[in-house]
Amino acid sequence: MEKQDVYLEACLRAIEKKLGWGDSSDWTGTDFQQLSDRIYEATKVMLSASTLKRVWGRVKHDGKPATSTLDTLAAFLGYENWRSFVVAQQQAAPMEPPAKLGRKKRLLRWGLVIVALVSIGFATYYRGGKEDGGGDNEVGTVATASPDDYRFSSEPVTRGIPNSVIFTYDASRAQIDSVFIQQSWDPMRQEQVAKDGHKHTSVYYEPGFYIAKLLVGQQVVKEHPLLIPSNGWLGMINRAPRPIYLKPADYLHPDHMGATTVAIEANQVSLTPDPPMVKYYNVGNFEPVSIADFSFSARVRNDYAAGNNACQFSQVMLITDGMPISLLLSSKGCVSELALMGGGRSVSGKHEDLSAFGVDLSDWVTVGCRSVDGKLVYEVNGSEAYVLPLGPEPVRIVGMMFLFVGTGSVQAVRLQEGDDTAYRAF
């Protein structure tokens, strides 16, 4: 292995460790898009998902990465440029040639990655925030200040998306200067703030339920829930560094919701070779519904099967003030890539039989979920598809989201609490 290849492998391993997303051989197309977003946020340099796939060996490419690409990867790790990264490696210790990345294992797993970030994030929220109060202290003196010594609150400036949030904080009694505000459960969404300051603003580009955190070092000293609502239905095309918002006329129709391929391409978005993800949100527009006694149903259809979108992955998610309730659908041959969430648990099609969620998405599919005797019952076309424990948390539904790889349509949305209708559309 050439020396540059050795250092490149070391760089990729360091990035994988920084992200904490698990074995990169299990990353999928949207993981690379998420990494592209993170790199842009940190360096203000755009490396496309396609470029990153080539660097990681997921796409066959005989050439070497450009110097500008290597400089950006090094900058993401905190180095001035690629040369400084290499010098640091040379000064550390003699480097053994690492094993080549397992390309044979690296298959695209679109479906699982659609919820991967959410799964990881909310698992982090439950483990790191809700149960044990955060990570290890940066230094031993951080914990000498009581949480009562800190103040932390927030206020959105408008209703709708995008939405800036004004955070008000007081961390003046912190024992160190490393004070951060974290927008949500995602530790990559941290920004350092002045210890003696009191105001900080952040922009939220997607609606949802978030847990905002004030950290001193790596310790969460204050946190609070933050609901970012949508103004009715919001349609968007997932793009970095910011989504493309669709005009209501492009996707809202009297009897269904859905953007056509023409509407997507009118926004200068190509559906080939990698189709985009199209999302429809409705958050904070109905009274919260307890999952202890609810039922939900909708009809969905994936309207794009060309190119490499044979799996037609489609997601239905109920956004809650805890872990979301989510299911994925695909064509029958792709069920291995599916996943479920609910009741504080996530289930992978790699380890469980989720074949009931493999359907013909060229036609309308009725999906549903309801609580029955302490269980979450998932249904597809009127038949029971999977059952999960409801979980002990008093969770409430505050919104919903539909996601389609390519594009898709939704109709007959119904949400009930007991015998009362909480929300209905189309």
Side-chain angles (χ1 to χ4, degrees):
M1 181 180 292
E2 297 180 7
K3 284 187 176 180
Q4 177 169 312
D5 293 335
V6 173
Y7 295 127
L8 178 58
E9 295 286 353
C11 179
L12 301 186
R13 290 202 309 272
I15 291 175
E16 292 164 8
K17 182 177 180 181
K18 175 184 175 76
L19 294 171
W21 292 353
D23 189 345
S24 63
S25 64
D26 291 332
W27 291 4
T28 62
T30 309
D31 280 313
F32 285 101
Q33 183 60 58
Q34 295 287 349
L35 177 55
S36 174
D37 296 349
R38 298 292 188 267
I39 290 174
Y40 180 84
E41 291 174 358
T43 68
K44 303 308 178 186
V45 176
M46 175 61 69
L47 294 182
S48 69
S50 297
T51 296
L52 294 172
K53 289 177 187 178
R54 288 196 295 269
V55 172
W56 257 266
R58 297 291 290 272
V59 176
K60 187 175 181 180
H61 183 66
D62 295 328
K64 301 291 185 182
T67 300
S68 59
T69 298
L70 297 175
D71 285 342
T72 302
L73 294 174
F76 183 63
L77 291 172
Y79 294 88
E80 182 180 357
N81 51 35
W82 178 250
R83 179 177 296 176
S84 64
F85 173 82
V86 171
V87 169
Q89 300 304 305
Q90 292 171 340
Q91 292 176 346
M95 185 180 298
E96 293 295 329
K100 290 186 178 180
L101 299 176
R103 297 183 183 181
K104 291 183 180 180
K105 294 171 59 182
R106 296 175 171 180
L107 302 176
L108 280 178
R109 295 178 181 173
W110 268 100
L112 190 55
V113 79
I114 292 174
V115 295
L117 183 60
V118 178
S119 301
I120 293 169
F122 276 90
T124 301
Y125 163 66
Y126 272 84
R127 291 195 304 269
K130 197 166 186 180
E131 291 182 355
D132 59 21
D136 297 333
N137 294 341
E138 182 182 62
V139 294
T141 57
V142 176
T144 59
S146 165
D148 293 337
D149 294 330
Y150 301 95
R151 299 291 181 268
F152 186 47
S153 62
S154 61
E155 185 67 33
V157 301
T158 186
R159 182 183 182 91
I161 299 296
N163 199 342
S164 288
V165 172
I166 299 175
F167 292 99
T168 302
Y169 69 97
D170 185 347
S172 57
R173 299 187 67 177
Q175 303 299 304
I176 60 174
D177 292 332
S178 298
V179 178
F180 302 87
I181 287 178
Q182 184 171 310
Q183 281 187 312
S184 66
W185 41 259
D186 184 356
M188 298 296 289
R189 302 290 183 179
Q190 284 185 7
E191 294 186 64
Q192 187 165 6
V193 297
K195 184 180 78 169
D196 296 325
H198 296 289
K199 297 290 183 180
H200 177 74
T201 63
S202 293
V203 179
Y204 288 74
Y205 291 103
E206 297 191 31
F209 182 87
Y210 301 91
I211 299 295
K213 301 175 185 289
L214 178 67
L215 299 93
V216 177
Q218 297 179 20
Q219 182 181 9
V220 178
V221 295
K222 283 287 186 181
E223 64 181 23
H224 63 261
L226 176 59
L227 181 70
I228 303 297
S230 62
N231 190 9
W233 285 101
L234 174 71
M236 66 173 66
I237 303 170
N238 199 60
R239 275 291 180 269
R242 290 172 292 276
I244 298 171
Y245 301 109
L246 294 166
K247 298 176 182 178
D250 288 340
Y251 63 93
L252 291 178
H253 311 284
D255 61 346
H256 76 285
M257 176 172 62
T260 64
T261 57
V262 173
I264 294 172
E265 291 172 338
N267 285 277
Q268 307 302 311
V269 175
S270 175
L271 286 109
T272 58
D274 295 319
M277 290 192 296
V278 178
K279 301 178 182 179
Y280 305 108
Y281 280 101
N282 192 316
V283 179
N285 295 299
F286 51 81
E287 289 296 318
V289 173
S290 171
I291 67 168
D293 185 18
F294 86 100
S295 63
F296 167 84
S297 65
R299 300 180 73 202
V300 298
R301 183 182 66 199
N302 191 299
D303 298 326
Y304 187 77
N308 65 4
N309 200 39
C311 289
Q312 293 186 285
F313 290 114
S314 306
Q315 181 184 13
V316 179
M317 176 182 289
L318 297 177
I319 298 169
T320 77
D321 53 9
M323 188 177 192
I325 298 170
S326 172
L327 63 88
L328 279 167
L329 302 169
S330 74
S331 59
K332 294 182 183 296
C334 300
V335 297
S336 174
E337 312 299 335
L338 299 185
L340 293 177
M341 285 190 292
R345 296 182 58 190
S346 60
V347 177
S348 168
K350 295 295 179 186
H351 311 294
E352 295 287 338
D353 180 2
L354 300 183
S355 58
F357 299 93
V359 292
D360 179 7
L361 281 156
S362 63
D363 197 2
W364 289 106
V365 178
T366 301
V367 295
C369 188
R370 56 195 174 94
S371 53
V372 180
D373 298 328
K375 298 177 181 179
L376 282 174
V377 179
Y378 298 81
E379 297 176 337
V380 176
N381 287 330
S383 298
E384 182 178 295
Y386 205 86
V387 178
L388 282 174
L390 191 60
E393 298 294 330
V395 176
R396 299 180 304 166
I397 300 166
V398 297
M400 59 189 71
M401 185 269 286
F402 298 88
L403 182 153
F404 301 93
V405 175
T407 188
S409 299
V410 182
Q411 67 176 198
V413 179
R414 304 289 185 269
L415 176 63
Q416 290 193 206
E417 183 169 17
D419 296 327
D420 298 327
T421 299
Y423 183 81
R424 63 185 298 163
F426 314 111

